Amino acid sequence: MKALKKKDYTLNSVKNAARILRLFSLERPELGVTEISRLLGLNKSTAYHLMTFLTAEGLLEKSPKSRYRLGLAFLRYSGIITTQMEIHRESLPFLERLAEELGESAFIGILEGTNVAYLQKVDVKHPHPLSPVGNRNPVSCTGSGKAILAFQKEEIISGIAERLQPYGPNSITDPERFKKHLKDIRSQGYALCIDEIYEGVSSIGVPVRDYTGEVVAAVSIAGPTERIRSCNIEHAVTTLKQAGLGISAKLGYYG
């Protein structure tokens, strides 16, 4: 019973914190504790404690007049959302050309924790059914996932390498072997996955960079292993790299 009450209290605190953040607008850029407690019908002490917590997390900041405004953390979050929207918008023409030229479904994906999330997809007549837009696949056994992961910080790579799971028959589950594999991907500039997520499914992915030079996404093709193996891998990689550079340029990268 006590655990349930504690859970309800925590949930209410989260809801009230969200309600506080939603009060801020262009018309109301700064608010005081008394004002917020009145607008939301909260006890003044409760409002103060929630705003102190939000300030400590960078979601609010205190002005010299002891009023509150949205914190700089939102700039970082808005940058993430803007980049994702740009990737989704700018990648479509490149994916269409890839699908037409290579004859396989083409994707653009981003890293989300231990998964790759697909923002955009262009199918061919024989579509790849396993990765609809919005779907997530393990980053460790997909061409797009490894093309992103290979360029991340060492602590991110190590965190994923220590939690590898077997999916397809060729999944790499040894941490040291996986790290060496990512090093090779970083050197060659592309990732080829044969039967790593499912038997009979393969993919090729290359990195996409933003204006800072950071790898923020990957463009890839995926399809039945038989077709991927029989295609001209070198030509597919070259075509994918051209698309990756093209999308990167649209995101402001000119390296």
Side-chain angles (χ1 to χ4, degrees), residues 38 47 69 134 212 221:
R38 176 177 56 79
R69 57 193 174 213
T212 68
I221 59 167

Side-chain angles (χ1 to χ4, degrees), residues 95 99-100 104-107 121-129 131:
L95 297 184
E100 182 178 356
E104 297 294 349
S105 296
F107 307 82
K121 174 186 180 182
V122 172
D123 274 327
V124 288
K125 290 181 181 178
H126 35 259
H128 173 57
S131 301

Side-chain angles (χ1 to χ4, degrees), residues 115 138 140-141 164-171 173 195-199:
N115 296 315
S140 61
C141 52
L164 294 171
Q165 298 290 326
Y167 292 93
N170 290 338
S171 294
T173 56
D195 295 347
E196 290 193 37
I197 186 166
Y198 299 107
E199 186 170 7

